[in-house]
Amino acid sequence: MKLTHLTPVWAWQLSLLLLPLSAAAQTQRPLFPANQEATTKPNIIFILTDDQDLHLQSLDYLPLIKRRLVDQGTLYTHHYCTTALCCPSRVSLWTGKQAHNTNVTDVAPPHGGYPKFVSQGLNSAYLPVWLQEAGYDTYYTGKLFNAHTVDNYLSPRPAGFNGSDFLLDPFTYSYLNSTFQRNNEEPVSYEGQHSMDVLTSKALGFLDDAAKGDRPFFLGIAPVAPHSNVEIPSFGSTSNSSGVHDAVFSAPIPAKRHEHLFPDAKVPRTENFNPESPSGANWVRDLPRQTRENVDYNDHFYRQRLRTLQSVDELVDDIFRHLESYGLLSNTYIFYTSDNGYHIGQHRLQPGKECGFEEDINIPLIIRGPGVPSNTTASIVTTHIDLAPTLLQLAGSPLRADFDGEAIPLTAEGLEEASEYRHEHVTVEYWGFAAFEGEYYPDGGRILGNNTYKAVRVVGSGYSFYYAVWCNNEHELYDLTTDPQQLKNLLHPDEVAPATLLGVPFEKAVSRLDALLFVLKSCKGQTCVRPWHALHPAGNVQNLHDALAARYDDFYLKEQKKVSYDRCEMGYIVDAEGPQFEGVGLVYRHGTRWSDWV
Ligand SMILES: *[C@@H]1O[C@H](CO)[C@@H](O)[C@H](O)[C@H]1NC(C)=O
Ligand SMILES: *[C@@H]1O[C@H](CO)[C@@H](O)[C@H](O)[C@H]1NC(C)=O
Ligand SMILES: *[C@@H]1O[C@H](CO)[C@@H](O)[C@H](O)[C@H]1NC(C)=O
Ligand SMILES: *[C@@H]1O[C@H](CO)[C@@H](O)[C@H](O)[C@H]1NC(C)=O
Ligand SMILES: *[C@@H]1O[C@H](CO)[C@@H](O)[C@H](O)[C@H]1NC(C)=O
Ligand SMILES: *[C@@H]1O[C@H](CO)[C@@H](O)[C@H](O)[C@H]1NC(C)=O
């Protein structure tokens, strides 16, 4: 791109226009195998588990998923959710937008849940609707969103599905007393049956319906496993109509046939498991070390998760048997992922999610389908925000300009090209509470407020960082190359920061990460995908490494506004979130040399 004759502002605007096109042009060709040009669009099956980890080794206990998906497909090892909480994460996944652009940031009103999804206008602007427009028959069973309840399931009905059978609150997480609601029918209680068995028969039923149709299909299957069992006694009371914050959590409940499995399994005793010294920042750093009884209980909790996941393993195998019997396997993509990850005992945390640690945000993504390399791991950075664009591209539809992510390459050639141009960051954000889901929790209760933070995870060539700013303005930085367990927060007053990072003085490296986060914390559309481009419109900075050049020191150290909060809020209240990205005002515009603009 020759932009040398343009003023910086023009260059910025023009390159914002040009870049997405050129990136799309690069990805389009290798993303799909040649036979996708054919008239038959592929079918898509999307399996979305609830709270499944990558880091606690759950995949090691799932032999059928290994045989059907991992061995025959690609495991994306650097796949991330962007908000580690069910409802915000699912809304981001199905809309292709960061939570700060959906403003569905919680599991229940006022800041989240199904009613907020509807009031934000998203019920007509999410994937199932777009897939129907692309000519797909669409089916879904299991959990869609939180606070989608026995009271509000028709106000309105979730749009975009030819067939749906949803788990509804307050029974969504009640393994032995689930309630499902089919199409426009009344909710039905399945008291006494295991939720996963009910779900499996519904999923196979929809697959049979879909296979009979003459159009391509999308089938979403969202099991509750391995989420905690949750009972919500206060549901429906006038003051807390969703009751979510009074929920009673306990270990997940497996099907009878799996109860006895893995009697000796324990949470992996990694270095960050119940460590001797506190780690992290804010409330995490105040957690007491867990007692022996607490650890034993958490190991039991862990085994119950592995046991409930056995039902998911069987579900996946059943789906493949049916696909084979219908002869559909060769034209079907199967996606397998989770809404967010999970921690048990790492950093002394009780069972739960809602944190920015790898255990919570780096989650399984396995894709199998025509042209997808088999028995392969891919290490490019991908996020949940990239999945809606990926599925829409598979369906042959144009991508939407307001997507905050970009399609994930699915072929060997596409993966190789992606290592050249693909973004290296994940925008992580969180508002509101953290919950302790096991039997052990502090006197103050299971729910803790002020768990509000913005963070960026960067995985580039030769570096790997997590940088966060909390709503109380505490900072967090881990160098995962030397500290993969995230035990040493280099920005905590009790730690000794290194003199240099990536060969430059420590503060200089931090100033770049802060500026990156400053752009990402309120980014929209392509700026979320190419944040460095907003700072350096001439296009000569593509990644953290490029940004470290000494000629940008003043720009980053002296001119940039820093990420900070004015106060803690439970939702996305902009005026609590410090200075905001103002586009052009932030651009690096001090280059006088030719080399600054090419
Ligand atoms: C997958 O690859 C590994 C080596 O990379 C090999 O040992 C294994 O047999 C392969 N599995 C299958 C099912 O092809
Ligand atoms: C997000 O929603 C909350 C209510 O839940 C509202 O107060 C806030 O202004 C909204 N934020 C934005 C940026 O629209
Ligand atoms: C699925 O829904 C779409 C949109 O309403 C409709 O055009 C299509 O005919 C439906 N498919 C079937 C099999 O009913
Ligand atoms: C199971 O759920 C139904 C409502 O769907 C409820 O009436 C019943 O009391 C529940 N049973 C138990 C044991 O909680
Ligand atoms: C509503 O929620 C609050 C906060 O969790 C709790 O203190 C209160 O007891 C609940 N009220 C009812 C009627 O359940
Ligand atoms: C959050 O922190 C503020 C101080 O910033 C404190 O006043 C408030 O009580 C805290 N809220 C909760 C729910 O912990």
Side-chain angles (χ1 to χ4, degrees), residues 20-265:
L21 293 177
S22 58
Q26 278 172 357
T27 60
Q28 206 121 35
R29 184 173 42 82
L31 193 61
F32 302 101
N35 64 13
Q36 291 304 308
E37 305 297 329
T39 47
T40 351
K41 293 184 177 187
N43 307 308
I44 300 167
I45 296 182
F46 199 106
I47 300 161
L48 181 62
T49 56
D50 201 321
D51 288 0
Q52 188 180 352
D53 60 274
L54 183 64
H55 285 258
L56 311 185
Q57 298 172 1
S58 64
L59 287 178
D60 292 354
Y61 293 84
L62 300 169
L64 300 171
I65 286 175
K66 179 174 183 333
R67 187 156 68 83
R68 296 296 201 172
L69 286 167
V70 181
D71 288 353
Q72 302 299 325
T74 297
L75 171 67
Y76 291 75
T77 57
H78 286 96
H79 185 74
Y80 289 84
C81 64
T82 53
T83 300
L85 183 65
C86 306
C87 188
S89 184
R90 286 164 191 249
V91 172
S92 286
L93 194 166
W94 298 125
T95 59
K97 290 177 178 213
Q98 290 284 152
H100 68 254
N101 288 332
T102 66
N103 202 8
V104 178
T105 60
D106 198 351
V107 290
H111 300 304
Y114 181 61
K116 186 73 188 278
F117 170 81
V118 170
S119 66
Q120 290 294 107
L122 298 170
N123 196 33
S124 56
Y126 75 136
L127 193 75
V129 171
W130 301 324
L131 287 176
Q132 275 190 338
E133 286 167 8
Y136 276 67
D137 289 338
T138 54
Y139 303 89
Y140 192 101
T141 184
K143 169 179 161 191
L144 184 62
F145 300 128
N146 302 77
H148 180 205
T149 72
V150 293
D151 295 331
N152 69 17
Y153 64 95
L154 290 180
S155 22
R157 186 186 161 196
F161 296 109
N162 289 80
S164 62
D165 210 332
F166 299 118
L167 274 165
L168 293 184
D169 279 355
F171 305 105
T172 304
Y173 303 110
S174 186
Y175 279 87
L176 301 179
N177 193 20
S178 57
T179 288
F180 283 78
Q181 187 274 318
R182 187 177 180 86
N183 300 332
N184 289 311
E185 296 164 19
E186 299 259 295
V188 173
S189 169
Y190 291 85
E191 186 168 355
Q193 296 183 51
H194 196 270
S195 168
M196 282 300 307
D197 293 337
V198 179
L199 178 90
T200 299
S201 71
K202 290 177 183 296
L204 295 173
F206 277 144
L207 182 51
D208 293 346
D209 294 347
K212 285 186 203 116
D214 49 10
R215 311 199 318 158
F217 67 81
F218 165 86
L219 169 59
I221 307 170
V224 68
H227 194 283
S228 306
N229 188 79
V230 184
E231 306 294 337
I232 308 179
S234 72
F235 178 85
S237 70
T238 46
S239 54
N240 299 325
S241 63
S242 80
V244 170
H245 292 271
D246 296 322
V248 179
F249 290 79
S250 56
I253 303 170
K256 273 258 175 283
R257 63 187 179 282
H258 302 133
E259 280 176 348
H260 64 289
L261 293 171
F262 320 121
D264 302 322

Side-chain angles (χ1 to χ4, degrees), residues 26 95 145 151 309 331 375 377 389 401 413 431 461 516 577 586:
Q26 278 172 357
T95 59
F145 300 128
D151 295 331
L309 277 169
N331 194 33
N375 198 16
T377 56
E413 194 189 359
W431 297 263
S461 170
L516 177 62
E577 299 196 358
L586 197 81

Side-chain angles (χ1 to χ4, degrees), residues 213-341:
D214 49 10
R215 311 199 318 158
F217 67 81
F218 165 86
L219 169 59
I221 307 170
V224 68
H227 194 283
S228 306
N229 188 79
V230 184
E231 306 294 337
I232 308 179
S234 72
F235 178 85
S237 70
T238 46
S239 54
N240 299 325
S241 63
S242 80
V244 170
H245 292 271
D246 296 322
V248 179
F249 290 79
S250 56
I253 303 170
K256 273 258 175 283
R257 63 187 179 282
H258 302 133
E259 280 176 348
H260 64 289
L261 293 171
F262 320 121
D264 302 322
K266 287 183 171 172
V267 180
R269 297 306 198 252
T270 46
E271 232 186 298
N272 64 6
F273 179 81
N274 200 20
E276 209 173 304
S277 312
S279 47
N282 203 345
W283 61 270
V284 178
R285 214 175 171 94
D286 294 334
L287 291 170
R289 199 166 191 210
Q290 295 175 2
T291 62
R292 175 68 188 271
E293 292 72 27
N294 189 164
V295 169
D296 286 348
Y297 168 78
N298 287 351
D299 281 332
H300 160 74
F301 194 104
Y302 176 73
R303 288 189 287 273
Q304 293 293 78
R305 284 169 53 86
L306 298 179
R307 291 164 182 155
T308 58
L309 277 169
Q310 298 311 299
S311 292
V312 179
D313 209 34
E314 294 171 355
L315 161 74
V316 168
D317 196 47
D318 286 343
I319 292 288
F320 273 92
R321 282 173 205 274
H322 279 237
L323 281 175
E324 283 166 348
S325 73
Y326 286 121
L328 288 174
L329 194 52
S330 63
N331 194 33
T332 302
Y333 286 87
I334 299 95
F335 288 70
Y336 182 96
T337 188
S338 173
D339 51 3
N340 49 257

